[in-house]
Amino acid sequence: MWAVIGVWELSPEMHDEWRAQVPLMASSKVGTPGFAHGTWTQDGHAIQVFDNEDDARRYHAKMRDEGYLERPGLRNVVWDVTEVGAESQAP
């Protein structure tokens, strides 16, 4: 499995907008090729896990190329693809 990891710095005026969009960001990934699961925090962090490297890299490039990473009040700090080494889940 492969993960796309994003970290953003939010200006104070962006916090409410980001928080309002977190559920949409999460639900909009369902159906994305290779998407397995993801986590979005209220303060600008996201980890999206894909079942293969090609789909993770394709999603990573698409978001970058279409300009989703930066906008007024939102500064991307990390946008990376990495292989998942292990996962755990409580029973």
Side-chain angles (χ1 to χ4, degrees), residues 57-69 79:
R57 292 197 182 279
R58 195 171 4 265
Y59 172 76
H60 179 268
K62 178 182 177 184
M63 294 292 104
R64 183 195 61 232
D65 295 347
E66 293 182 5
Y68 289 109
L69 303 182
W79 187 243

Side-chain angles (χ1 to χ4, degrees), residues 21-30 35 38-40:
Q21 290 190 23
V22 164
L24 176 60
M25 287 186 275
S27 67
S28 70
K29 299 309 176 267
V30 175
F35 179 78
T39 302
W40 289 259

